[in-house]
Amino acid sequence: FIDEGELKFAFELLGAKIEDEELAELVEAHGKKGEVDFTNFVKMVLGTQSKLQLGQKGQAIKLLSKQKLQKLQEAFREFDLDGSGAIDAEELLEVFKKLGKHSSLEDAVACIDEAMEGEGTEIDFEAFVDLMANPKH
């Protein structure tokens, strides 16, 4: 579970500035006792429009501060289990398992396909940053 402060920090890492009132409404709608579990966090991130409006792939990297970029690099390295520089479906499935989400390999493939807009079977760092900075849902 994450609390409102951690949630606000997560949105800031994603490049979205969120007002305290809006954050409180989100937590009330998606959480329990002032906290949000992982599933509801993902729903919030995917359901909340990012304040960043990026037109071209790769633009998010240029807009992030050095600190935010480092945080995303750390997260990417955690997901890229084999150190190949890309997150494939098997690695994404392992991440889902670690987070307590029961998914199939097909689910992971579908997530990557959606994130890459059908243009690849792996998520590289640039696509990962774009995805984190500008969720599509």
Side-chain angles (χ1 to χ4, degrees):
F1 289 96
I2 61 174
D3 62 27
E4 280 188 38
E6 294 165 326
L7 185 60
K8 185 170 186 167
F9 179 71
F11 274 105
E12 287 173 356
L13 282 177
L14 297 173
K17 298 213 186 240
I18 188 166
E19 299 297 324
D20 290 338
E21 295 163 2
E22 184 181 2
L23 183 65
E25 289 173 14
L26 285 170
V27 171
E28 185 176 323
H30 296 280
K32 292 180 183 177
K33 299 178 186 175
E35 296 182 324
V36 177
D37 66 13
F38 176 73
T39 301
N40 285 321
F41 169 71
V42 170
K43 288 178 184 176
M44 273 195 288
V45 170
L46 294 178
T48 303
Q49 289 297 321
S50 172
K51 303 293 189 226
L52 286 176
Q53 296 299 317
L54 305 170
Q56 299 176 7
K57 286 187 178 183
Q59 293 301 304
I61 289 176
K62 297 174 186 175
L63 299 175
L64 294 174
S65 70
K66 193 174 192 176
Q67 182 181 11
K68 287 180 183 178
L69 193 57
Q70 286 175 336
K71 292 285 185 188
L72 286 173
Q73 286 171 329
E74 290 171 18
F76 184 82
R77 281 193 294 269
E78 296 254 340
F79 289 9
D80 180 17
L81 302 174
D82 65 1
S84 67
I87 301 166
D88 64 24
E90 290 179 0
E91 291 169 318
L92 188 56
L93 184 59
E94 284 301 313
V95 171
F96 288 161
K97 287 178 185 177
K98 287 180 182 178
L99 296 171
K101 184 178 186 316
H102 301 288
S103 297
S104 67
L105 186 58
E106 291 78 22
D107 292 333
V109 168
C111 286
I112 290 174
D113 188 55
E114 185 174 337
M116 296 301 294
E117 298 175 349
E119 296 180 11
T121 58
E122 298 180 324
I123 299 173
D124 62 12
F125 181 67
E126 185 176 281
F128 178 77
V129 172
D130 285 344
L131 182 63
M132 295 293 102
N134 195 23
K136 293 170 178 55
H137 298 285

